[in-house]
Amino acid sequence: MKQFIPAMLSFLLCVSGMAQPLLTKITENRFLVWKGDKVGVADSQHRIIVPFEFDKIEFQNKRLVVRIKDRYGLYTLNYHELLPVRYKFILPRPQDRFILLTHESLFGLADNNGNMIISPEYNFMSSMDGEHYVVMNKQKLNGVYDFHGNLVVPMEYKFFTIDGSKVFAEKNNRAQIVDINHLDSPVILDRSITLIFTERHFSSAEEFFQIIKKDEKYGLMNANNGLIIPIIYDEMKSSGSWKFFIIKKNGKYGMLKIDGSIPVPPAYEKIVPKKEGVELFRKGNKKEFFGYWN
């Protein structure tokens, strides 16, 4: 081992042409090595396995995710091409899967051998739990595939908030809570309830919430069909923090916390979300600030 390390460093100095070597061990007998601003892969016998032609290489799901300029591809550790360098991104997911995005902005799913599990034809894709993938087609309808590529929820829904296996969804203009593991028993909500797009707000127990509208008033539900915030507000929308909602009552805006408290009573003409909090404007455009750390 003492003899190997100096030999490896000497080798890297030669191939990099730099004063000091740059190397990262990614797995047994494989090292990322740099030559100028290009990266390749060498083994412990000083052999270049992957030539210095990539701008970036990441080791994910036992494969090499490579990048040239703004295009990504997938290779084995022995420099065998699995997916050509033509994708906008390749995102590793559990179960040795990769979400793909083409430069035509279409999503698909491949395994770590480059086999297409879900063809890249969807306008959106995200992993629910590592076992299931939500997709959206050109008609803006959602469905769910399992990680084998089986369609387990048909493309008949419009999805809103997803909480584990439960989804706030609309089908045939009817709001409901669907459990993807029990499609035959959805919770059908009152016909007068409308689902409102909601950023992912959750409690400390990671229970996600959904904004609902009924009779021109707004409130908040959880995926267990529980009413968290009564339907009494003139408006409710997501803020820049998962802990807070912006509310409107009697023509004025305030801030509602997920525990039901109101740290900023509705007394403002306008509320503008910022990175660390919100700007509050009273009549006359006088500006105040409320921090998300409150």
Side-chain angles (χ1 to χ4, degrees):
M1 178 61 71
K2 291 182 179 179
Q3 293 179 345
F4 162 71
I5 293 176
M8 186 65 180
L9 295 181
S10 176
F11 157 70
L12 291 169
L13 282 167
C14 292
V15 298
S16 68
M18 301 177 68
Q20 290 184 342
L22 297 173
L23 70 158
T24 302
K25 183 176 181 179
I26 54 176
T27 188
E28 196 64 34
N29 197 34
R30 289 293 185 272
F31 299 81
L32 292 183
V33 290
W34 280 261
K35 186 176 183 180
D37 60 354
K38 299 296 181 181
V39 60
V41 175
D43 67 11
S44 58
Q45 298 300 311
H46 308 181
R47 294 174 297 198
I48 298 298
I49 307 301
V50 177
F52 300 101
E53 60 184 44
F54 299 108
D55 298 317
K56 185 177 182 180
I57 297 177
E58 293 183 329
F59 184 58
Q60 302 283 358
N61 288 341
K62 302 184 286 291
R63 298 293 185 254
L64 301 176
V65 179
V66 303
R67 175 173 65 82
I68 298 177
K69 294 183 178 179
D70 63 346
R71 296 179 181 269
Y72 288 80
L74 192 69
Y75 281 76
T76 68
L77 285 165
N78 294 320
Y79 195 44
H80 173 69
E81 181 185 273
L82 300 171
L83 292 171
V85 183
R86 69 183 185 200
Y87 292 93
K88 193 170 183 178
F89 73 65
I90 296 178
L91 178 66
R93 306 309 301 156
Q95 308 285 352
D96 289 336
R97 297 296 188 257
F98 293 93
I99 290 179
L100 312 175
L101 177 63
T102 71
H103 277 265
E104 294 73 39
S105 296
L106 296 175
F107 289 83
L109 187 73
D111 66 15
N112 69 346
N113 290 315
N115 299 311
M116 286 295 169
I117 304 299
I118 302 171
S119 62
E121 60 184 76
Y122 291 102
N123 289 10
F124 172 80
M125 174 182 288
S126 68
S127 173
M128 292 182 67
D129 51 13
E131 301 282 340
H132 297 92
Y133 291 84
V134 175
V135 296
M136 183 175 69
N137 64 17
K138 295 178 180 179
Q139 291 73 43
K140 296 186 177 180
L141 294 175
N142 295 103
V144 178
Y145 284 89
D146 66 18
F147 75 98
H148 295 295
N150 301 309
L151 187 64
V152 296
V153 177
M155 308 292 297
E156 301 173 349
Y157 298 86
K158 181 180 179 181
F159 283 1
F160 292 82
T161 299
I162 299 172
D163 188 355
S165 66
K166 295 181 179 180
V167 184
F168 282 93
E170 284 183 2
K171 181 179 178 181
N172 299 325
N173 296 316
R174 190 70 184 271
Q176 52 195 278
I177 304 172
V178 177
D179 189 330
I180 66 169
N181 297 316
H182 303 283
L183 287 179
D184 55 344
S185 55
V187 176
I188 306 298
L189 301 180
D190 189 284
R191 190 173 294 277
S192 62
I193 287 179
T194 301
L195 302 178
I196 306 299
F197 176 76
T198 312
E199 298 285 355
R200 285 175 71 82
H201 292 258
F202 55 93
S203 68
S204 58
E206 296 193 355
E207 175 184 62
F208 291 92
F209 300 138
Q210 171 66 49
I211 299 173
I212 59 171
K213 181 181 179 182
K214 181 179 180 181
D215 300 329
E216 300 305 316
K217 297 293 183 180
Y218 293 77
L220 205 63
M221 289 185 67
N222 64 19
N224 293 317
N225 198 23
L227 189 63
I228 303 302
I229 303 295
I231 310 172
I232 59 174
Y233 294 101
D234 302 327
E235 188 178 338
M236 179 181 290
K237 58 184 179 181
S238 301
S239 72
S241 167
W242 62 267
K243 292 194 296 184
F244 298 97
F245 291 88
I246 298 172
I247 55 172
K248 184 179 182 182
K249 192 171 179 62
N250 299 324
K252 302 290 185 179
Y253 290 94
M255 297 292 290
L256 171 75
K257 202 169 183 178
I258 56 172
D259 62 6
S261 62
I262 302 178
V264 179
Y268 295 87
E269 301 297 316
K270 182 172 64 172
I271 293 181
V272 180
K274 297 294 181 179
K275 184 176 180 181
E276 299 295 335
V278 294
E279 291 179 342
L280 311 166
F281 294 86
R282 292 184 184 271
K283 194 172 182 178
N285 211 34
K286 182 181 178 181
K287 183 171 66 175
E288 301 173 30
F289 188 80
F290 173 80
Y292 291 139
W293 55 85
N294 288 288

